[in-house]
Amino acid sequence: MRLRLARRHAAGAASSSSRAEALEVEPSGRNELLARGPDPFRPDRRLRWRDHFVLTEHLLQLDCIHPDHDGLRIAQLSDVHVGQATSDVRIRRAVAAVNAAAPDLVFLTGDYVTHSPKPLPRVRELLKGLNGPVFVVMGNHDHWVDVGYLRAGFEDLGYTVLQNEHRVVHVKGAPVTVLGIDDGLTRMDDVEATFRGAPTSGTRLVLAHTPPTAEKLPAHAGLVQFSGHTHGGQFIVRGLTEAIFRRAGQPYIRGHYRVNGNHLYVNQGLGFGFGGPYLRRGSTPEVAFFTLRNAVAAHVGAP
């Protein structure tokens, strides 16, 4: 099983093979982008730099998925950090981009607020309206602020919140097991409880806010874990950033890793960057899309 980065482009950029937000952008000054085409969230057609993010496209070739899930599409949003750390326009545009791509599953992987409880009511308002089955796990900041309030709000939206739980959902005529592990930094994670009674084969996808949770998964079990937490390193200084994260017990910063025979993807997060009070350099806010392919089917006819 392997993960391959297939495509990376600015939010709204046109792509012949992507159904993401059809909005072209081009530089227009130091701190803004000029949008060409309709943008319902900024009628003047101008996007400030703080409203910017990228869409990333990834191909997951897996040996263990159900044959009917060849081509299954997933969208992941992480580390939204509603409040002064993230532009409301950026969040609304990210939700619109996810819906425009029409994925089969949507994953939200934690940290919807930061330190203050004031933005709590806005989390539901800004993240409402995501189409398709939506699965949610909590992050460390959510536990520090008010995890019960956030869980209730997401459930009112019809989203499935998983705190050391799993759910089986039928997609494209076959079952997908979604395993949601609670936050590891606050020591709320319980991998054993999450997997208890879950199917041991077929398409199994793990959500966990903290990347090192991947080290606690059953080894060589054909699992893919989707995480966030690191903001892709937040402020990248080559060599130094990696050393600091390793010292803090976070060796997985962004992108794809192999961990104990399973696979891990670390999202760079949507929040904490560009125009807010938190410096961000070398790590662009991200909305990630994944396409699952059956590895056997993908190699049929290959030389």
Side-chain angles (χ1 to χ4, degrees):
M1 168 179 158
R2 65 180 184 271
L3 185 151
R4 177 165 59 86
L5 176 63
R7 186 179 302 107
R8 184 182 183 89
H9 53 87
S15 170
S16 61
S17 59
S18 173
R19 293 170 292 176
E21 186 180 11
L23 175 67
E24 295 183 357
V25 295
E26 64 181 13
S28 176
R30 182 176 179 182
N31 292 311
E32 65 181 6
L33 297 177
L34 175 64
R36 296 190 300 181
D39 185 347
F41 305 114
R42 298 195 67 79
D44 59 357
R45 300 172 64 237
R46 300 189 71 81
L47 297 174
R48 294 172 297 174
W49 183 242
R50 69 194 307 261
D51 302 330
H52 174 69
F53 56 91
V54 296
L55 308 178
T56 58
E57 285 280 356
H58 309 270
L59 180 65
L60 282 161
Q61 292 189 358
L62 313 176
D63 297 318
C64 54
I65 63 171
H66 191 284
D68 290 348
H69 292 150
D70 186 62
L72 185 141
R73 292 271 291 164
I74 297 167
Q76 182 197 13
L77 286 169
S78 195
D79 299 87
V80 177
H81 287 286
V82 172
Q84 65 177 153
T86 313
S87 156
D88 285 3
V89 173
R90 187 193 305 170
I91 299 170
R92 292 192 185 103
R93 295 184 69 241
V95 170
V98 169
N99 286 341
D104 299 295
L105 295 169
V106 179
F107 294 158
L108 306 181
T109 49
D111 276 4
Y112 310 103
V113 290
T114 307
H115 301 297
S116 171
K118 290 182 180 179
L120 282 168
R122 289 164 54 204
V123 173
R124 172 176 170 171
E125 181 64 26
L126 291 172
L127 290 176
K128 70 181 180 182
L130 287 164
N131 298 329
V134 180
F135 292 90
V136 180
V137 292
M138 297 297 178
N140 51 295
H141 285 276
D142 307 320
H143 280 281
W144 291 337
V145 178
D146 193 335
V147 72
Y149 183 99
L150 289 165
R151 175 164 186 148
F154 284 127
E155 289 178 338
D156 286 345
L157 293 175
Y159 302 169
T160 300
V161 180
L162 300 174
Q163 292 181 268
N164 300 320
E165 307 164 73
H166 69 270
R167 294 288 187 277
V168 177
V169 58
H170 278 74
V171 181
K172 294 182 176 293
V176 176
T177 303
V178 182
L179 302 115
I181 303 171
D182 210 345
D183 176 62
L185 187 64
T186 54
R187 300 184 179 180
M188 301 302 294
D189 56 321
D190 189 335
V191 174
E192 182 180 350
T194 304
F195 278 77
R196 188 177 300 127
T200 57
S201 62
T203 306
R204 299 185 297 161
L205 309 172
V206 179
L207 311 185
H209 178 65
T210 49
T213 300
E215 297 174 357
K216 303 179 181 181
L217 299 180
H220 303 280
L223 299 168
V224 185
Q225 178 178 306
F226 299 87
S227 295
H229 182 61
T230 64
H231 307 167
Q234 186 69 36
F235 195 91
I236 305 299
V237 178
R238 183 169 296 180
L240 179 61
T241 300
E242 291 83 354
I244 292 172
F245 271 79
R246 282 196 301 269
R247 188 176 182 86
Q250 298 288 343
Y252 317 108
I253 298 177
R254 59 178 169 178
H256 173 244
Y257 298 86
R258 290 289 301 269
V259 183
N260 295 337
N262 296 310
H263 290 249
L264 165 67
Y265 184 81
V266 183
N267 190 298
Q268 294 183 176
L270 188 67
F272 263 56
F274 301 162
Y278 303 94
L279 293 176
R280 185 161 183 158
R281 176 182 180 273
S283 174
T284 308
E286 172 186 23
V287 177
F289 295 94
F290 304 86
T291 300
L292 304 190
R293 292 299 315 274
N294 186 298
V296 176
H299 287 89
V300 170

